[in-house]
């Protein structure tokens, strides 16, 4: 039954792909390619002599209250409950104002990395909460383009610079650190995304959390899923950002094998079938039931 369901989903995606292609022929401007990693030079500075840390305890308290584990293995964030709690929505706004009051360039690079990851995740939650109820983060956008999402909308200002979510991920985190595990840390409020970490990132724990997040995602079906011995479904992350994973299917597989559990790693090493990609953009809220 599980295999038939996956094949049904695959056929459904093929139909959807044909519809999408037809739409793109009519309106090419609707094509939304994944952003490339392009350094924003302004942010590429640090003070490695600075041993100060930035306080993320407010964000930790919110995660403890509203982020929960789920039998599916995909954590859920209760956006509805947060929106209904005026005191906690104010705490989220205060935390983001606290981050925006700092110039991260005056801190060491390790502190900056944690700062930007927490900033991205908290800002994403605020964007969703402000627009809630929505079924998908892609429904939130200032652009006229359907399903374009909020990633190019300005949501913050730091050191006099207006910032979008894309600036943080693709102009700062990816190009400065060149660490493909960043994709397991930044959360886009979707079921197909790697889990939001229940622990805030700090300079001291970032490496440990990144490794743990990579292992958790790759060993979950939304990361790597064998339909059968000849057909493998993997996350669209490895297609959209293949340049961060070595720019070929072989290097993507090498990355997957690095973090896969023994049985999965052995199966990946011997795999010679076809590969497809999938991603579930439904909001990772408690009420969502994945089929």
């Amino acid at each position: 039954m599980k295999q038939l369901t996956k094949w049904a989903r695959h056929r459904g995606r093929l139909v959807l792909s044909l519809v999408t292609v037809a739409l793109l022929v009519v309106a090419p401007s609707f094509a939304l390619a994944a952003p490339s990693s392009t350094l924003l030079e302004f942010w590429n500075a640090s003070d490695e002599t600075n041993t100060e840390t930035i306080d993320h305890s407010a964000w930790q308290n919110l995660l403890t209250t509203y982020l929960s584990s789920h039998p599916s293995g995909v954590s859920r964030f209760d956006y509805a409950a947060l929106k209904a709690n005026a005191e906690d929505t104010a705490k989220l706004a205060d935390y983001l104002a606290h981050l925006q009051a700092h110039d991260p360039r005056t801190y060491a690079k390790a502190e900056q990395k944690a700062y930007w990851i927490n900033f991205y995740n908290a800002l994403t939650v605020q964007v969703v909460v402000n627009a809630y109820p929505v079924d998908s983060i892609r429904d939130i956008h200032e652009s006229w383009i359907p399903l374009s999402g909020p990633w190019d909308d300005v949501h913050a200002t730091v050191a006099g610079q207006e910032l979008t979510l894309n600036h943080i991920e693709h102009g700062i985190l990816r190009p400065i650190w060149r660490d493909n595990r960043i994709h397991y840390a930044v959360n886009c409020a979707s079921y197909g995304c790697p889990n939001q970490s229940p622990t805030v990132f700090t300079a001291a724990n970032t490496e440990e959390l990144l490794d743990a997040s990579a292992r958790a995602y790759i060993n979950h079906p939304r990361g790597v899923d064998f339909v059968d011995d000849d057909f493998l479904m993997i996350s669209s992350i490895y297609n959209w950002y293949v340049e961060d994973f070595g720019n070929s299917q072989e290097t993507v597989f090498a990355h997957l094998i690095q973090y896969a559990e023994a049985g999965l790693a052995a199966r990946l090493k011997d795999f010679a079938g076809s590969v497809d990609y999938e991603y579930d953009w439904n909001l990772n809220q408690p009420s969502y039931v994945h089929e």
Side-chain angles (χ1 to χ4, degrees):
M1 180 63 70
K2 182 179 179 182
Q3 181 170 321
L4 289 174
T5 301
K6 289 178 181 175
W7 276 112
R9 285 161 49 202
H10 182 53
R11 288 196 299 272
R13 275 190 297 273
L14 291 176
V15 172
L16 180 60
S17 296
L18 291 174
V19 173
T20 302
V21 169
L23 287 172
L24 294 180
V25 169
V26 175
S29 61
F30 278 43
L32 301 173
S36 61
S37 176
T38 304
L39 177 65
L40 295 173
E41 288 285 356
F42 179 84
W43 300 106
N44 194 21
S46 67
D47 180 357
E48 298 304 314
T49 67
N50 186 354
T51 60
E52 294 181 6
T53 60
I54 298 172
D55 182 16
H56 300 288
S57 59
W59 178 227
Q60 181 63 72
N61 290 337
L62 291 168
L63 288 173
T64 300
T65 303
Y66 295 101
L67 183 69
S68 62
S69 59
H70 188 272
S72 66
V74 182
S75 63
R76 309 301 176 92
F77 197 96
D78 200 337
Y79 305 98
L82 177 54
K83 181 155 191 170
N85 190 317
E87 183 178 349
D88 282 352
T89 55
K91 288 179 180 177
L92 176 58
D94 288 345
Y95 169 68
L96 288 166
H98 160 71
L99 294 186
Q100 291 172 84
H102 291 272
D103 184 344
R105 298 172 302 165
T106 65
Y107 290 83
K109 277 285 175 64
E111 190 67 26
Q112 290 183 35
K113 191 175 187 179
Y115 165 93
W116 287 117
I117 293 171
N118 291 328
F119 197 167
Y120 184 99
N121 290 337
L123 192 58
T124 296
V125 167
Q126 185 184 62
V127 167
V128 173
V129 167
N130 286 346
Y132 195 84
V134 291
D135 294 324
S136 170
I137 191 173
R138 294 194 300 172
D139 297 333
I140 307 168
H141 52 85
E142 296 176 8
S143 166
W144 61 271
I145 303 175
L147 302 180
S148 58
W151 297 286
D152 282 319
D153 301 333
V154 173
H155 294 294
T157 302
V158 178
Q161 304 294 304
E162 292 185 335
L163 286 173
T164 68
L165 290 166
N166 274 345
H167 286 152
I168 296 173
E169 182 176 5
H170 309 297
I172 300 171
L173 280 167
R174 288 175 64 203
I176 291 178
W177 281 277
R178 299 182 179 275
D179 183 346
N180 54 30
R181 296 173 303 165
I182 290 295
H183 295 292
Y184 305 113
V186 293
N187 187 273
C188 65
S190 302
Y191 186 94
C193 188
N195 283 341
Q196 174 87 264
S197 172
T199 303
V200 297
F201 286 81
T202 66
N205 72 13
T206 292
E207 293 304 304
E208 178 184 354
L209 290 181
L210 290 176
D211 275 343
S213 296
R215 286 192 298 271
Y217 190 66
I218 288 168
N219 290 287
H220 188 275
R222 73 197 190 286
V224 179
D225 191 13
F226 276 92
V227 177
D228 57 36
D229 289 339
D230 299 313
F231 183 50
L232 177 64
M233 198 75 71
I234 63 176
S235 171
S236 296
I237 288 173
Y238 305 113
N239 183 30
W240 297 330
Y241 304 112
V242 64
E243 64 180 295
D244 293 352
F245 297 95
N247 225 24
S248 73
Q249 183 171 297
E250 290 74 19
T251 55
V252 167
F253 268 52
H255 172 82
L256 298 177
I257 290 167
Q258 178 183 355
Y259 292 99
E261 294 174 357
L264 178 59
R267 203 170 181 188
L268 287 168
K269 288 176 183 176
D270 294 335
F271 184 71
S274 58
V275 178
D276 200 358
Y277 304 90
E278 68 176 350
Y279 199 85
D280 188 336
W281 280 107
N282 283 286
L283 200 67
N284 60 340
Q285 59 185 325
S287 61
Y288 177 58
V289 178
H290 181 71
E291 297 180 357

